[in-house]
Amino acid sequence: MDFFEHQEVARKKSHVLIFYFILALAGIIAAVYGLAIAIEMFTGSGDLTWWQPELFIMTAGGTVAVVFLASTFKTMQLSGGGEVVARELGGREVDIHTTDYHERRLINIVEEMAIASGVPVPTVYVMDSEDSINAFAAGRTTSDAVVGVTRGCMTLLTRDELQGVIAHEFSHILNGDMKLNMRLIGLLFGILFLALMGELIIRSAFRGSRHTSRNKDGASAALVIMLAGVGLLAIGYIGSFFAKLIKASISRQREYLADASAVQFTRNPDGIAGALQKIGGLKAGSSVAHPMAKDASHLFFGNALSSSLLATHPPLSDRIKRLVPSWNGEYSAVSLPPITEKEDRRRSRERPAPDSSGSSLPGRSLPGMFLDGGEGKVHLTDEEAIESMSALHPEQIQLGEEIHASIPEHWIEACHTLSGAQAIVFTLLLAQDESLRNAELSRLRQDTDDTTYQVVSDLFSEIRNIHSAVKLALVDLAIHSLRKLSSGEYQRFRKIISDLIHSDKRIDLFEFTLLNIVTRHLDNYFEHQSPPRIKYRNLRSLSNEAGIVITTLAAMSHPDDDNAIQEAFRKASNHIANTLGTEISFKSAEECGLDHIETALEKFAKATPTVKKHLLEAASKSVMADGAISSREAELIRAMADAMGCPIPPFVRTAVLI
């Protein structure tokens, strides 16, 4: 399966989760009703019969209300994204400018994986008080995702082992598991909340009994309250059982999938298998001592809890044998890291300075790009293009490493600062046409200051001709820093980029889609926007919007050649007709204005992953009509995909089609 199919499976798992949740709620309601009957019998009040409709309705309504309110509270709390979970687990955000060897290595691996995946760089957290080997990914979308690791994971693993663990966590991000796992935390909190209520009631009753011990009526009331508290605590354990059952049923197969995906990404089973073997050989294993771990146990790379009953993860030995069938069953001994680590040579290569003429592409010599004569052409078959964007391959991981290593140091430093990240985005939004660009720069000078104007002008001469993979990598790196803007600073930044691309009264399609990428990710983050609800489940309901997108791509790919435009559109429309039996019509230039494109992308953002997949396959057929995909075409497809909420990796020629 590919990203889109995995996301579809995860989406359908949400329905299974709700079904299990309703079953658990029904069991808890029955237990609460039984507790109410027991209290009546103990106190001698009421009808003293087992079936009391009014009492049942009251207890059922009260239980549902408590569980619903608790789940809603937790879900609202989690609207802050993965950072909320990371902080609750005792995580510390790693400074992007860190000079610590292990932290720098971790940041590099996460940035490389993000570039390879085509997603914004997640914020990285370290759980300093945890010496075990474990990791997690949390967030509602790629806009607010975080990756967290324990200190043991960061310091005790080799680079290949750590890369395997991070690849496992990125699999959860890309396959839709992360969103499902966050929803699981919110729903299950309502079930577990009854146990918290029981504890509070017992403590309250115990304190009250000390003051009313000489008063018979008061003592009896305290005893009844104590009984209610003990009952709710017991019911809470029932809820805990159901919670573990639900997490185990949802998580186990997804962990096997993430392990397999990590191997597919890295083509190195020894990396992730080595990490699992070290967990088995480490006294602390993968256990997490933080109290929050029991609520978030299904997020982790390994079993965070010592109990094996209804564990959220498969047995360690089973996971290793699936990765390395020849494993002899012995776990690796783990020693403390050296006091002084050697420099990570692979990451310390000298970064090239950009050619002052702007003609040198940092991505030109990258393995797997197959650039043609400096024109930014990637020669792929239709099948390779579709395969390249629907799954992450070792070639793309290698490409992510190479892009990260080849980006000039001052570009990286710019992406890591608030002012520099804004300047990078301003630069990428500048028009290629000189007269239009001068108008944009003039507006930028009015809206900002002379220093920002000069920095952007200088950067443009360096960045203007770089490959699309590098451009979008810079965006992914910059968004991480832009999340650090204050609310007021973000509103100013948003206004400037909007004014910047509207200043010449003409908006380039790539500028428009890039603007959508930046604002979508940052709006999601700053405004805590929920992921859009699924509204469209087949392409037939979006045939008009599909026609707009495909016509636009065909026209952008073959300007001034009507026959080539028609042929590109025909290939895409035939693919949709043959695959889905749905017809799409060619649109006029007036029907493909930017406002129409924006509406089309907004609707596709509310479509199922399968619908998005069919559109992107048709898009690839359109731009591949001439047997190659240019840098500009790749920019557009990837930018449009990101604007729809399904970022795709860079296009590469894959050695093996999986």
Side-chain angles (χ1 to χ4, degrees):
M1 293 193 294
D2 56 35
F3 291 148
F4 304 98
E5 291 169 340
H6 287 310
Q7 290 166 14
E8 191 69 33
V9 170
R11 186 181 70 84
K12 292 178 179 178
K13 281 276 188 180
S14 297
H15 302 309
V16 177
L17 167 61
I18 293 172
F19 173 73
Y20 283 150
F21 178 78
I22 292 173
L23 285 181
L25 186 58
I28 291 172
I29 288 172
V32 172
Y33 174 69
L35 174 62
I37 293 292
I39 291 175
E40 278 195 351
M41 289 182 174
F42 179 80
T43 60
S45 60
D47 296 337
L48 301 182
T49 58
W50 283 107
W51 177 240
Q52 301 178 36
E54 291 184 2
L55 180 63
F56 177 78
I57 292 173
M58 184 174 65
T59 54
T63 301
V64 170
V66 168
V67 171
F68 174 77
L69 289 173
S71 293
T72 302
F73 166 78
K74 191 65 177 180
T75 300
M76 290 177 64
Q77 187 183 38
L78 294 175
S79 66
E83 293 181 354
V84 174
V85 177
R87 288 193 293 266
E88 285 189 350
L89 286 168
R92 167 184 60 85
E93 183 178 347
V94 178
D95 183 0
I96 201 72
H97 304 290
T98 182
T99 57
D100 178 83
Y101 166 81
H102 293 106
E103 293 180 356
R104 184 71 262 158
R105 182 181 68 167
L106 174 62
I107 290 287
N108 284 337
I109 292 174
V110 171
E111 288 185 341
E112 293 161 6
M113 195 68 65
I115 291 171
S117 308
V119 301
V121 177
T123 305
V124 181
Y125 281 80
V126 172
M127 302 167 69
D128 289 311
S129 60
E130 307 288 349
D131 294 327
S132 60
I133 297 174
N134 221 326
F136 66 89
R140 300 177 308 154
T141 67
T142 56
S143 304
D144 58 27
V146 306
V147 170
V149 301
T150 59
R151 180 159 189 80
C153 181
M154 183 177 68
T155 60
L156 299 177
L157 301 182
T158 66
R159 192 181 203 281
D160 286 345
E161 291 166 350
L162 184 58
Q163 186 187 52
V165 172
I166 299 301
H168 175 104
E169 297 308 324
F170 265 81
S171 169
H172 285 311
I173 296 174
L174 299 171
N175 290 335
D177 300 335
M178 182 178 68
K179 177 182 174 182
L180 177 63
N181 288 338
M182 292 287 280
R183 182 173 296 179
L184 198 56
I185 293 177
L187 278 178
L188 296 186
F189 182 78
I191 295 177
L192 300 173
F193 184 69
L194 293 175
L196 297 177
M197 285 184 60
E199 290 181 9
L200 291 174
I201 290 173
I202 290 172
R203 291 173 184 172
S204 176
F206 180 75
R207 286 195 296 267
S209 65
R210 290 187 297 180
H211 299 290
T212 60
S213 58
R214 296 181 182 179
N215 184 315
K216 184 177 180 180
D217 292 337
S220 298
L223 186 60
V224 171
I225 294 174
M226 182 78 74
L227 176 63
V230 171
L232 283 176
L233 189 60
I235 292 171
Y237 282 113
I238 296 174
S240 178
F241 170 80
F242 277 117
K244 289 180 180 179
L245 180 64
I246 292 171
K247 286 194 285 188
S249 64
I250 295 291
S251 299
R252 282 198 170 204
Q253 289 304 316
R254 307 301 287 180
E255 291 302 319
Y256 280 134
L257 168 63
D259 286 347
S261 296
V263 174
Q264 177 183 327
F265 296 170
T266 63
R267 199 172 285 161
N268 181 16
D270 291 336
I272 188 170
L276 292 169
Q277 289 174 35
K278 283 188 175 179
I279 288 176
L282 184 67
K283 183 178 180 181
S286 57
S287 62
V288 177
H290 197 280
M292 173 64 180
K294 66 180 184 298
D295 296 330
S297 58
H298 58 293
L299 297 181
F300 284 95
F301 172 71
N303 269 324
L305 307 178
S306 56
S307 173
S308 60
L309 180 65
L310 294 177
T312 53
H313 292 61
L316 203 59
S317 57
D318 289 355
R319 293 175 68 182
I320 297 173
K321 286 179 180 177
R322 285 197 177 204
L323 297 168
V324 185
S326 60
W327 179 54
N328 60 10
E330 296 183 2
Y331 293 107
S332 304
V334 183
S335 57
L336 292 174
I339 294 175
T340 303
E341 290 278 6
K342 293 182 180 179
E343 187 178 12
D344 187 353
R345 295 287 181 187
R346 278 188 284 182
R347 300 302 98 207
S348 63
R349 287 178 296 206
E350 183 179 353
R351 297 183 186 274
D355 190 313
S356 59
S357 67
S359 62
S360 178
L361 303 183
R364 177 177 295 179
S365 62
L366 298 179
M369 291 303 294
F370 294 90
L371 301 181
D372 180 20
E375 297 179 359
K377 290 278 187 178
V378 183
H379 291 276
L380 306 171
T381 64
D382 288 354
E383 291 74 18
E384 285 177 322
I386 292 173
E387 179 65 25
S388 180
M389 70 183 180
S390 60
L392 194 59
H393 298 86
E395 292 81 7
Q396 284 154 327
I397 298 296
Q398 181 184 7
L399 180 62
E401 294 178 358
E402 295 293 335
I403 288 176
H404 189 266
S406 69
I407 295 176
E409 189 64 45
H410 65 283
W411 295 5
I412 292 282
E413 290 175 357
C415 289
H416 286 173
T417 64
L418 290 180
S419 60
Q422 293 177 82
I424 287 286
V425 174
F426 296 154
T427 304
L428 291 172
L429 287 174
L430 291 178
Q432 294 290 326
D433 180 84
E434 185 175 1
S435 61
L436 298 181
R437 183 171 66 255
N438 288 337
E440 292 172 341
L441 284 170
S442 177
R443 182 56 186 260
L444 180 65
R445 194 170 204 165
Q446 294 175 26
D447 289 345
T448 58
D449 50 74
D450 289 344
T451 302
T452 302
Y453 164 81
Q454 191 60 52
V455 169
V456 171
S457 298
D458 293 343
L459 276 173
F460 182 79
S461 64
E462 302 174 4
I463 290 177
R464 63 182 302 172
N465 289 327
I466 61 175
H467 191 273
S468 64
V470 184
K471 285 185 179 179
L472 294 179
L474 291 174
V475 173
D476 293 334
L477 291 171
I479 285 176
H480 177 271
S481 297
L482 293 172
R483 295 188 189 120
K484 306 300 180 185
L485 293 170
S486 69
S487 178
E489 288 172 332
Y490 174 59
Q491 293 304 320
R492 180 182 64 184
F493 168 75
R494 204 182 190 289
K495 182 179 184 303
I496 289 172
I497 59 177
S498 179
D499 291 345
L500 182 63
I501 68 170
H502 288 89
S503 62
D504 53 16
K505 309 301 181 184
R506 292 170 57 187
I507 305 177
D508 177 86
L509 183 57
F510 176 65
E511 294 176 20
F512 169 76
T513 48
L514 184 61
L515 174 68
N516 275 353
I517 290 175
V518 174
T519 54
R520 184 182 70 83
H521 283 299
L522 294 177
D523 283 352
N524 285 346
Y525 181 81
F526 282 101
E527 298 174 13
H528 305 311
Q529 295 179 349
S530 298
R533 292 185 178 277
I534 299 298
K535 186 176 180 180
Y536 305 100
R537 291 177 168 77
N538 60 72
L539 193 61
R540 188 175 297 105
S541 58
L542 291 172
S543 59
N544 180 63
E545 288 72 18
I548 292 172
V549 173
I550 299 302
T551 301
T552 301
L553 281 173
M556 291 294 296
S557 300
H558 309 282
D560 305 321
D561 189 341
D562 291 341
N563 291 333
I565 293 173
Q566 291 289 343
E567 176 62 17
F569 182 85
R570 186 190 63 79
K571 288 193 67 174
S573 59
N574 285 348
H575 174 76
I576 291 176
N578 295 334
T579 305
L580 303 174
T582 300
E583 299 290 336
I584 63 172
S585 59
F586 188 83
K587 304 296 180 181
S588 65
E590 292 75 19
E591 294 175 290
C592 295
L594 290 178
D595 54 340
H596 295 291
I597 295 171
E598 183 174 20
T599 301
L601 294 177
E602 287 176 353
K603 287 187 176 181
F604 271 105
K606 299 175 183 177
T608 64
T610 302
V611 172
K612 296 174 183 177
K613 174 186 178 182
H614 289 314
L615 177 72
L616 291 172
E617 286 179 347
S620 70
K621 291 282 185 180
S622 174
V623 300
M624 291 292 295
D626 59 356
I629 182 169
S630 70
S631 174
R632 196 67 171 172
E633 292 165 343
E635 287 172 357
L636 287 173
I637 290 184
R638 292 187 64 202
M640 285 183 171
D642 202 328
M644 292 188 295
C646 57
I648 58 176
F651 288 90
V652 297
R653 183 183 290 271
T654 55
V656 179
L657 296 182
I658 298 175

